[in-house]
Amino acid sequence: MSRTQVLDPAVGQAMSALSAAAKKGLGDPALAELVMIRASQLNHCAFCLDMHLRLARGNGESEDRVQLLDAWEEAGDLYSERERAALALTEAVTVLTDGVSDEVYARAGKHFTEVELAHLIGLITVINGWNRLMVSRRVQPGGYQP
């Protein structure tokens, strides 16, 4: 089977710049990590999950919130309404089979300004890109160094 672990440095730098811009524009690093973890769960990206779980925990995210993220809809008030809106949007954009419903957009619109929403969608898009780059190249977890 032919595959590559090589990533063109220019591509990696561009992806990293997009990620940094989206995170900065969103202005909520804790939420950014939750979004990236949730997308990575859906995409089965072990490398990105390992990295973003480490980052979230390192930034003080609680074990309960990290452990229950896969079941955020059933986790009661463990996640704020703003976080729940972001996670719903993350799932809709990541899976995309049925598109992003007006309901999901409206829910997010209640909790994010138009600019924040644009950055959130950018962040979701870039983590999905990273997930696809890592999964398709079969990059194993454990290689991330902060």
Side-chain angles (χ1 to χ4, degrees), residues 21-22 24-27 82 89 105-124:
K24 183 178 180 184
L26 181 60
R82 185 174 194 260
L89 184 61
Y105 270 121
R107 183 177 182 184
K110 290 179 186 177
H111 300 282
F112 297 92
T113 67
E114 189 173 352
V115 171
E116 289 171 332
L117 190 56
H119 284 95
L120 177 58
I121 292 168
L123 183 66
I124 296 165

Side-chain angles (χ1 to χ4, degrees), residues 40-104:
S40 298
Q41 288 172 332
L42 293 167
N43 289 321
H44 306 278
C45 183
F47 180 88
C48 292
L49 269 171
D50 179 59
M51 179 171 81
H52 292 291
L53 286 166
R54 288 174 192 258
L55 288 169
R57 288 177 177 127
N59 290 331
E61 189 61 72
S62 77
E63 269 313 300
D64 285 347
R65 286 168 45 89
V66 168
Q67 297 264 346
L68 293 174
L69 189 55
D70 195 33
W72 65 268
E73 290 178 293
E74 291 80 29
D77 61 356
L78 192 59
Y79 304 97
S80 71
E81 285 301 315
R82 185 174 194 260
E83 291 168 333
R84 295 165 75 75
L87 293 169
L89 184 61
T90 300
E91 290 185 359
V93 172
T94 298
V95 176
L96 207 56
T97 308
D98 298 322
V100 180
S101 72
D102 291 342
E103 179 184 331
V104 169

